[in-house]
CSV table of all heavy atoms in Angstrom, one decimal:
chain,number,residue,atom,x,y,z
A,1,MET,N,84.4,101.4,97.7
A,1,MET,CA,84.3,102.8,98.2
A,1,MET,C,85.2,103.0,99.4
A,1,MET,O,85.8,104.1,99.5
A,1,MET,CB,82.8,103.0,98.6
A,1,MET,CG,82.6,104.5,98.9
A,1,MET,SD,80.9,104.9,98.8
A,1,MET,CE,80.3,104.8,100.4
A,2,VAL,N,85.2,102.0,100.3
A,2,VAL,CA,86.1,102.1,101.5
A,2,VAL,C,87.5,102.2,101.1
A,2,VAL,O,88.4,102.9,101.7
A,2,VAL,CB,85.8,101.2,102.5
A,2,VAL,CG1,86.7,101.2,103.7
A,2,VAL,CG2,84.3,101.3,103.0
A,3,ARG,N,87.9,101.4,100.0
A,3,ARG,CA,89.3,101.5,99.6
A,3,ARG,C,89.8,102.8,99.1
A,3,ARG,O,90.8,103.2,99.4
A,3,ARG,CB,89.5,100.5,98.5
A,3,ARG,CG,89.4,99.1,99.0
A,3,ARG,CD,89.6,98.0,97.9
A,3,ARG,NE,89.4,96.7,98.3
A,3,ARG,CZ,89.2,95.7,97.6
A,3,ARG,NH1,89.1,95.8,96.3
A,3,ARG,NH2,88.9,94.6,98.1
A,4,TRP,N,88.8,103.5,98.5
A,4,TRP,CA,89.1,104.9,98.0
A,4,TRP,C,89.3,105.9,99.2
A,4,TRP,O,90.2,106.6,99.2
A,4,TRP,CB,88.0,105.4,97.1
A,4,TRP,CG,88.2,105.0,95.8
A,4,TRP,CD1,87.4,104.1,95.0
A,4,TRP,CD2,89.2,105.4,94.8
A,4,TRP,NE1,88.0,103.9,93.8
A,4,TRP,CE2,89.1,104.7,93.5
A,4,TRP,CE3,90.4,106.2,94.7
A,4,TRP,CZ2,89.9,104.9,92.5
A,4,TRP,CZ3,91.2,106.4,93.6
A,4,TRP,CH2,91.0,105.7,92.5
A,5,ALA,N,88.5,105.6,100.2
A,5,ALA,CA,88.6,106.5,101.4
A,5,ALA,C,89.9,106.2,102.1
A,5,ALA,O,90.6,107.1,102.6
A,5,ALA,CB,87.4,106.2,102.3
A,6,ALA,N,90.3,104.9,102.2
A,6,ALA,CA,91.7,104.6,102.8
A,6,ALA,C,92.8,105.2,102.0
A,6,ALA,O,93.7,105.7,102.6
A,6,ALA,CB,91.8,103.1,102.9
A,7,PHE,N,92.7,105.2,100.7
A,7,PHE,CA,93.7,105.7,99.9
A,7,PHE,C,93.8,107.3,100.2
A,7,PHE,O,94.9,107.8,100.2
A,7,PHE,CB,93.3,105.5,98.3
A,7,PHE,CG,94.1,106.1,97.3
A,7,PHE,CD1,95.5,105.8,97.2
A,7,PHE,CD2,93.7,107.3,96.6
A,7,PHE,CE1,96.3,106.4,96.3
A,7,PHE,CE2,94.5,107.9,95.6
A,7,PHE,CZ,95.8,107.5,95.5
A,8,CYS,N,92.6,107.9,100.2
A,8,CYS,CA,92.6,109.3,100.6
A,8,CYS,C,93.2,109.7,101.9
A,8,CYS,O,93.8,110.8,102.2
A,8,CYS,CB,91.2,109.9,100.4
A,8,CYS,SG,90.7,109.9,98.7
A,9,CYS,N,93.1,108.7,102.8
A,9,CYS,CA,93.7,108.9,104.2
A,9,CYS,C,95.2,109.0,104.2
A,9,CYS,O,95.8,109.6,105.0
A,9,CYS,CB,93.1,107.9,105.1
A,9,CYS,SG,91.5,107.9,105.6
A,10,VAL,N,95.7,108.4,103.1
A,10,VAL,CA,97.1,108.4,102.9
A,10,VAL,C,97.6,109.6,102.0
A,10,VAL,O,98.5,110.3,102.3
A,10,VAL,CB,97.7,107.1,102.4
A,10,VAL,CG1,99.1,107.1,101.9
A,10,VAL,CG2,97.5,106.0,103.3
A,11,LEU,N,96.8,109.9,100.9
A,11,LEU,CA,97.1,110.7,100.0
A,11,LEU,C,97.0,112.2,100.4
A,11,LEU,O,97.9,113.0,100.3
A,11,LEU,CB,96.2,110.7,98.8
A,11,LEU,CG,96.6,111.5,97.6
A,11,LEU,CD1,97.9,111.4,97.0
A,11,LEU,CD2,95.4,111.4,96.5
A,12,VAL,N,95.9,112.5,101.1
A,12,VAL,CA,95.7,114.0,101.7
A,12,VAL,C,96.8,114.3,102.5
A,12,VAL,O,97.4,115.5,102.3
A,12,VAL,CB,94.4,114.1,102.3
A,12,VAL,CG1,94.2,115.4,103.0
A,12,VAL,CG2,93.2,113.9,101.3
A,13,PRO,N,97.4,113.7,103.5
A,13,PRO,CA,98.4,114.1,104.3
A,13,PRO,C,99.8,114.3,103.5
A,13,PRO,O,100.6,115.3,103.7
A,13,PRO,CB,98.6,113.0,105.4
A,13,PRO,CG,97.2,112.4,105.5
A,13,PRO,CD,96.7,112.4,104.1
A,14,VAL,N,100.1,113.4,102.6
A,14,VAL,CA,101.1,113.6,101.7
A,14,VAL,C,101.1,114.8,101.0
A,14,VAL,O,102.2,115.6,100.9
A,14,VAL,CB,101.4,112.3,100.8
A,14,VAL,CG1,102.5,112.5,99.8
A,14,VAL,CG2,101.6,111.0,101.6
A,15,VAL,N,100.0,115.2,100.4
A,15,VAL,CA,99.8,116.4,99.6
A,15,VAL,C,100.0,117.5,100.6
A,15,VAL,O,100.6,118.6,100.3
A,15,VAL,CB,98.4,116.3,98.9
A,15,VAL,CG1,98.1,117.8,98.3
A,15,VAL,CG2,98.4,115.2,97.8
A,16,LEU,N,99.4,117.6,101.8
A,16,LEU,CA,99.6,118.5,102.7
A,16,LEU,C,101.0,118.8,103.1
A,16,LEU,O,101.5,120.0,103.1
A,16,LEU,CB,98.8,118.3,104.1
A,16,LEU,CG,97.3,118.4,103.8
A,16,LEU,CD1,96.6,118.0,105.1
A,16,LEU,CD2,96.9,119.8,103.5
A,17,LEU,N,101.8,117.7,103.3
A,17,LEU,CA,103.2,117.9,103.4
A,17,LEU,C,103.9,118.5,102.3
A,17,LEU,O,104.8,119.3,102.5
A,17,LEU,CB,103.9,116.6,103.8
A,17,LEU,CG,103.5,116.0,105.2
A,17,LEU,CD1,104.0,114.5,105.3
A,17,LEU,CD2,104.1,116.8,106.3
A,18,VAL,N,103.6,118.2,101.1
A,18,VAL,CA,104.3,118.7,100.0
A,18,VAL,C,104.1,120.2,99.8
A,18,VAL,O,104.9,120.9,99.4
A,18,VAL,CB,103.7,118.0,98.6
A,18,VAL,CG1,104.1,118.7,97.4
A,18,VAL,CG2,104.2,116.5,98.7
A,19,TYR,N,102.9,120.6,100.3
A,19,TYR,CA,102.4,122.0,100.2
A,19,TYR,C,102.9,122.8,101.5
A,19,TYR,O,102.5,123.9,101.6
A,19,TYR,CB,101.1,122.2,99.9
A,19,TYR,CG,100.8,122.0,98.3
A,19,TYR,CD1,100.4,120.9,97.9
A,19,TYR,CD2,101.0,123.1,97.4
A,19,TYR,CE1,100.1,120.5,96.6
A,19,TYR,CE2,100.8,122.8,96.1
A,19,TYR,CZ,100.4,121.7,95.7
A,19,TYR,OH,100.1,121.5,94.3
A,20,GLY,N,103.6,122.1,102.3
A,20,GLY,CA,104.2,122.9,103.5
A,20,GLY,C,103.6,122.8,104.7
A,20,GLY,O,103.9,123.6,105.7
A,21,THR,N,102.5,122.0,104.9
A,21,THR,CA,101.9,121.8,106.3
A,21,THR,C,102.8,121.1,107.2
A,21,THR,O,103.6,120.3,106.8
A,21,THR,CB,100.5,121.0,106.0
A,21,THR,OG1,99.7,121.7,105.1
A,21,THR,CG2,99.8,120.9,107.4
A,22,SER,N,102.7,121.4,108.5
A,22,SER,CA,103.6,120.7,109.4
A,22,SER,C,103.3,119.2,109.5
A,22,SER,O,102.1,118.8,109.1
A,22,SER,CB,103.4,121.4,110.9
A,22,SER,OG,102.1,121.0,111.3
A,23,LEU,N,104.1,118.5,110.0
A,23,LEU,CA,104.0,117.1,110.1
A,23,LEU,C,102.9,116.8,111.2
A,23,LEU,O,102.2,115.9,110.9
A,23,LEU,CB,105.5,116.4,110.6
A,23,LEU,CG,105.4,114.9,110.8
A,23,LEU,CD1,105.1,114.2,109.4
A,23,LEU,CD2,106.7,114.4,111.3
A,24,GLY,N,102.8,117.5,112.2
A,24,GLY,CA,101.8,117.4,113.2
A,24,GLY,C,100.4,117.6,112.6
A,24,GLY,O,99.4,117.0,112.9
A,25,GLY,N,100.3,118.7,111.8
A,25,GLY,CA,99.1,119.0,111.1
A,25,GLY,C,98.6,117.9,110.1
A,25,GLY,O,97.5,117.5,110.1
A,26,ALA,N,99.6,117.3,109.3
A,26,ALA,CA,99.3,116.3,108.5
A,26,ALA,C,98.9,115.0,109.1
A,26,ALA,O,98.0,114.4,108.7
A,26,ALA,CB,100.5,116.0,107.5
A,27,ALA,N,99.6,114.7,110.3
A,27,ALA,CA,99.2,113.5,111.0
A,27,ALA,C,97.9,113.7,111.6
A,27,ALA,O,97.1,112.7,111.7
A,27,ALA,CB,100.3,113.3,112.2
A,28,GLY,N,97.5,114.9,112.2
A,28,GLY,CA,96.1,115.0,112.7
A,28,GLY,C,95.1,114.9,111.6
A,28,GLY,O,94.0,114.3,111.9
A,29,THR,N,95.4,115.4,110.5
A,29,THR,CA,94.5,115.2,109.3
A,29,THR,C,94.3,113.7,108.9
A,29,THR,O,93.1,113.2,108.8
A,29,THR,CB,94.9,115.9,108.1
A,29,THR,OG1,95.1,117.4,108.5
A,29,THR,CG2,94.0,115.7,106.9
A,30,ALA,N,95.4,113.0,108.9
A,30,ALA,CA,95.4,111.6,108.7
A,30,ALA,C,94.4,110.9,109.7
A,30,ALA,O,93.6,110.0,109.4
A,30,ALA,CB,96.7,111.0,108.6
A,31,LEU,N,94.7,111.2,111.0
A,31,LEU,CA,93.9,110.5,112.0
A,31,LEU,C,92.5,110.9,111.9
A,31,LEU,O,91.6,110.0,112.2
A,31,LEU,CB,94.4,110.9,113.4
A,31,LEU,CG,95.8,110.2,113.8
A,31,LEU,CD1,96.3,110.8,115.1
A,31,LEU,CD2,95.7,108.8,113.8
A,32,GLY,N,92.1,112.1,111.6
A,32,GLY,CA,90.7,112.6,111.5
A,32,GLY,C,90.1,111.9,110.4
A,32,GLY,O,89.0,111.3,110.4
A,33,LEU,N,90.8,111.8,109.2
A,33,LEU,CA,90.2,111.1,108.1
A,33,LEU,C,90.0,109.7,108.4
A,33,LEU,O,89.0,109.0,107.9
A,33,LEU,CB,91.1,111.3,106.8
A,33,LEU,CG,91.1,112.7,106.2
A,33,LEU,CD1,92.2,112.8,105.1
A,33,LEU,CD2,89.7,112.9,105.6
A,34,ALA,N,91.0,109.0,109.0
A,34,ALA,CA,90.9,107.6,109.3
A,34,ALA,C,89.6,107.3,110.3
A,34,ALA,O,89.0,106.3,110.1
A,34,ALA,CB,92.2,107.1,110.0
A,35,ALA,N,89.4,108.2,111.1
A,35,ALA,CA,88.3,108.0,112.0
A,35,ALA,C,87.0,108.2,111.4
A,35,ALA,O,86.0,107.4,111.6
A,35,ALA,CB,88.3,109.1,113.2
A,36,VAL,N,86.9,109.1,110.5
A,36,VAL,CA,85.7,109.3,109.7
A,36,VAL,C,85.5,108.1,108.8
A,36,VAL,O,84.3,107.7,108.6
A,36,VAL,CB,85.7,110.6,108.9
A,36,VAL,CG1,84.6,110.7,107.8
A,36,VAL,CG2,85.7,111.8,109.7
A,37,THR,N,86.5,107.6,108.1
A,37,THR,CA,86.5,106.4,107.3
A,37,THR,C,85.9,105.2,108.0
A,37,THR,O,85.0,104.4,107.5
A,37,THR,CB,87.8,106.1,106.6
A,37,THR,OG1,88.2,107.3,105.8
A,37,THR,CG2,87.8,104.9,105.8
A,38,ALA,N,86.6,105.0,109.3
A,38,ALA,CA,86.1,103.9,110.1
A,38,ALA,C,84.7,104.0,110.5
A,38,ALA,O,83.9,103.0,110.5
A,38,ALA,CB,86.9,103.7,111.3
A,39,ALA,N,84.2,105.1,110.9
A,39,ALA,CA,82.8,105.4,111.2
A,39,ALA,C,81.8,105.1,110.1
A,39,ALA,O,80.8,104.4,110.2
A,39,ALA,CB,82.6,106.8,111.8
A,40,CYS,N,82.2,105.6,108.9
A,40,CYS,CA,81.4,105.4,107.7
A,40,CYS,C,81.3,103.8,107.4
A,40,CYS,O,80.3,103.4,106.9
A,40,CYS,CB,81.9,106.2,106.5
A,40,CYS,SG,81.7,107.9,106.7
A,41,ARG,N,82.4,103.2,107.5
A,41,ARG,CA,82.5,101.8,107.3
A,41,ARG,C,81.6,101.0,108.1
A,41,ARG,O,80.8,100.1,107.7
A,41,ARG,CB,83.8,101.2,107.3
A,41,ARG,CG,83.9,99.8,107.0
A,41,ARG,CD,85.4,99.3,107.1
A,41,ARG,NE,85.6,98.0,106.5
A,41,ARG,CZ,86.6,97.3,106.4
A,41,ARG,NH1,87.7,97.8,106.7
A,41,ARG,NH2,86.5,96.0,106.0
A,42,VAL,N,81.5,101.3,109.5
A,42,VAL,CA,80.7,100.8,110.3
A,42,VAL,C,79.2,101.0,110.1
A,42,VAL,O,78.4,100.1,110.0
A,42,VAL,CB,80.9,101.2,111.9
A,42,VAL,CG1,79.9,100.8,112.9
A,42,VAL,CG2,82.3,100.7,112.2
A,43,LEU,N,78.9,102.3,109.7
A,43,LEU,CA,77.5,102.7,109.4
A,43,LEU,C,77.0,101.9,108.1
A,43,LEU,O,75.9,101.5,108.0
A,43,LEU,CB,77.4,104.2,109.3
A,43,LEU,CG,77.5,104.9,110.6
A,43,LEU,CD1,77.6,106.4,110.3
A,43,LEU,CD2,76.4,104.5,111.6
A,44,LEU,N,78.0,101.7,107.1
A,44,LEU,CA,77.7,101.1,105.9
A,44,LEU,C,77.4,99.7,106.1
A,44,LEU,O,76.4,99.0,105.6
A,44,LEU,CB,78.8,101.3,104.9
A,44,LEU,CG,78.6,100.7,103.4
A,44,LEU,CD1,77.3,101.4,102.7
A,44,LEU,CD2,79.8,100.9,102.7
A,45,ARG,N,78.1,99.0,106.9
A,45,ARG,CA,77.9,97.6,107.3
A,45,ARG,C,76.5,97.4,107.9
A,45,ARG,O,75.8,96.5,107.8
A,45,ARG,CB,79.1,96.9,108.0
A,45,ARG,CG,80.1,96.8,107.2
A,45,ARG,CD,81.3,96.1,107.8
A,45,ARG,NE,82.5,95.9,107.0
A,45,ARG,CZ,83.1,94.8,107.0
A,45,ARG,NH1,83.0,93.8,107.8
A,45,ARG,NH2,84.2,94.7,106.2
A,46,ARG,N,76.2,98.3,108.8
A,46,ARG,CA,75.0,98.1,109.7
A,46,ARG,C,73.8,98.4,108.7
A,46,ARG,O,72.8,97.6,108.8
A,46,ARG,CB,74.9,99.2,110.7
A,46,ARG,CG,75.7,98.9,112.0
A,46,ARG,CD,75.3,100.0,113.0
A,46,ARG,NE,76.2,99.7,114.2
A,46,ARG,CZ,76.1,100.5,115.2
A,46,ARG,NH1,75.4,101.5,115.4
A,46,ARG,NH2,77.0,100.2,116.3
A,47,SER,N,74.0,99.3,107.8
A,47,SER,CA,72.9,99.5,106.8
A,47,SER,C,72.7,98.3,106.0
A,47,SER,O,71.5,98.0,105.7
A,47,SER,CB,73.2,100.7,106.0
A,47,SER,OG,72.3,100.9,105.0
A,48,GLU,N,73.8,97.7,105.4
A,48,GLU,CA,73.6,96.5,104.6
A,48,GLU,C,73.0,95.3,105.3
A,48,GLU,O,72.2,94.6,104.8
A,48,GLU,CB,75.0,96.0,104.1
A,48,GLU,CG,75.6,97.0,103.1
A,48,GLU,CD,77.1,96.7,102.7
A,48,GLU,OE1,77.7,96.0,103.5
A,48,GLU,OE2,77.5,97.3,101.7
A,49,ARG,N,73.3,95.1,106.6
A,49,ARG,CA,72.8,94.1,107.4
A,49,ARG,C,71.3,94.3,107.6
A,49,ARG,O,70.5,93.4,107.6
A,49,ARG,CB,73.5,93.9,108.8
A,49,ARG,CG,74.9,93.4,108.7
A,49,ARG,CD,75.5,93.3,110.2
A,49,ARG,NE,76.8,92.9,110.0
A,49,ARG,CZ,77.7,93.1,111.0
A,49,ARG,NH1,77.4,93.8,112.1
A,49,ARG,NH2,78.9,92.8,110.8
A,50,GLY,N,70.9,95.6,107.8
A,50,GLY,CA,69.5,95.9,108.0
A,50,GLY,C,68.7,95.7,106.9
A,50,GLY,O,67.6,95.1,106.8
A,51,LEU,N,69.3,95.9,105.6
A,51,LEU,CA,68.6,95.7,104.4
A,51,LEU,C,68.4,94.2,104.1
A,51,LEU,O,67.4,93.8,103.7
A,51,LEU,CB,69.5,96.3,103.2
A,51,LEU,CG,69.2,97.8,103.1
A,51,LEU,CD1,70.2,98.4,102.0
A,51,LEU,CD2,67.9,98.3,102.8
A,52,ARG,N,69.5,93.4,104.5
A,52,ARG,CA,69.4,92.0,104.2
A,52,ARG,C,68.4,91.5,105.2
A,52,ARG,O,67.6,90.5,104.8
A,52,ARG,CB,70.8,91.3,104.5
A,52,ARG,CG,71.6,91.3,103.3
A,52,ARG,CD,72.9,90.5,103.6
A,52,ARG,NE,74.0,91.4,103.6
A,52,ARG,CZ,74.9,91.4,104.4
A,52,ARG,NH1,75.0,90.6,105.5
A,52,ARG,NH2,75.9,92.2,104.4
A,53,ALA,N,68.2,91.8,106.4
A,53,ALA,CA,67.3,91.4,107.3
A,53,ALA,C,65.8,91.8,106.9
A,53,ALA,O,64.9,90.9,107.0
A,53,ALA,CB,67.5,91.9,108.8
A,54,GLU,N,65.7,92.9,106.3
A,54,GLU,CA,64.4,93.4,105.8
A,54,GLU,C,64.0,92.6,104.7
A,54,GLU,O,62.8,92.2,104.6
A,54,GLU,CB,64.6,94.9,105.4
A,54,GLU,CG,63.2,95.5,105.1
A,54,GLU,CD,63.3,96.9,104.8
A,54,GLU,OE1,64.1,97.7,105.4
A,54,GLU,OE2,62.7,97.3,103.8
A,55,ARG,N,64.8,92.3,103.8
A,55,ARG,CA,64.5,91.4,102.6
A,55,ARG,C,64.2,90.0,103.0
A,55,ARG,O,63.2,89.5,102.4
A,55,ARG,CB,65.6,91.5,101.5
A,55,ARG,CG,65.9,92.7,100.9
A,55,ARG,CD,67.0,92.6,100.0
A,55,ARG,NE,67.3,94.0,99.4
A,55,ARG,CZ,68.5,94.3,98.9
A,55,ARG,NH1,69.5,93.4,98.8
A,55,ARG,NH2,68.6,95.6,98.3
A,56,HIS,N,64.9,89.6,104.0
A,56,HIS,CA,64.7,88.2,104.5
A,56,HIS,C,63.2,88.0,105.2
A,56,HIS,O,62.5,87.0,105.0
A,56,HIS,CB,65.8,87.8,105.5
A,56,HIS,CG,65.6,86.2,106.0
A,56,HIS,ND1,65.7,85.2,105.1
A,56,HIS,CD2,65.3,85.9,107.1
A,56,HIS,CE1,65.4,84.1,105.8
A,56,HIS,NE2,65.3,84.5,107.1
A,57,SER,N,62.8,89.1,105.9
A,57,SER,CA,61.6,89.1,106.6
A,57,SER,C,60.4,89.2,105.7
A,57,SER,O,59.3,88.7,105.9
A,57,SER,CB,61.6,90.0,107.6
A,57,SER,OG,61.4,91.3,107.1
A,58,ARG,N,60.6,89.8,104.4
A,58,ARG,CA,59.6,90.0,103.5
A,58,ARG,C,59.3,88.6,102.7
A,58,ARG,O,58.2,88.4,102.2
A,58,ARG,CB,59.9,91.1,102.5
A,58,ARG,CG,59.7,92.5,103.0
A,58,ARG,CD,60.1,93.5,101.9
A,58,ARG,NE,60.0,94.9,102.6
A,58,ARG,CZ,60.2,95.9,101.9
A,58,ARG,NH1,60.6,95.8,100.6
A,58,ARG,NH2,60.1,97.0,102.5
A,59,SER,N,60.3,87.9,102.6
A,59,SER,CA,60.2,86.6,101.8
A,59,SER,C,59.4,85.6,102.5
A,59,SER,O,59.2,85.4,103.6
A,59,SER,CB,61.5,86.0,101.5
A,59,SER,OG,62.4,86.9,100.9
């Protein structure tokens, strides 16, 4: 899932440039998408660790 998000972080700015958005706007979009992707990755890992710890404590 994170790989698709990283792919989109590259693809979306390229598409924006093709359709005439400024370089600064496309770069800002890329940075914003990268930040959201990184935050989601951190939250996903925390969630997975929590689930593992919960399963371990039940056993």
Side-chain angles (χ1 to χ4, degrees):
M1 187 158 98
V2 173
R3 288 181 187 163
W4 278 108
F7 173 71
C8 289
C9 287
V10 174
L11 180 65
V12 169
V14 169
V15 170
L16 289 173
L17 286 172
V18 168
Y19 282 97
T21 303
S22 68
L23 183 59
T29 300
L31 288 174
L33 288 171
V36 169
T37 300
C40 288
R41 184 175 184 178
V42 167
L43 292 172
L44 182 62
R45 285 186 181 220
R46 281 188 186 178
S47 174
E48 289 172 347
R49 287 181 190 156
L51 286 174
R52 275 189 247 134
E54 185 179 319
R55 287 180 187 156
H56 182 65
S57 67
R58 288 183 181 177
S59 303

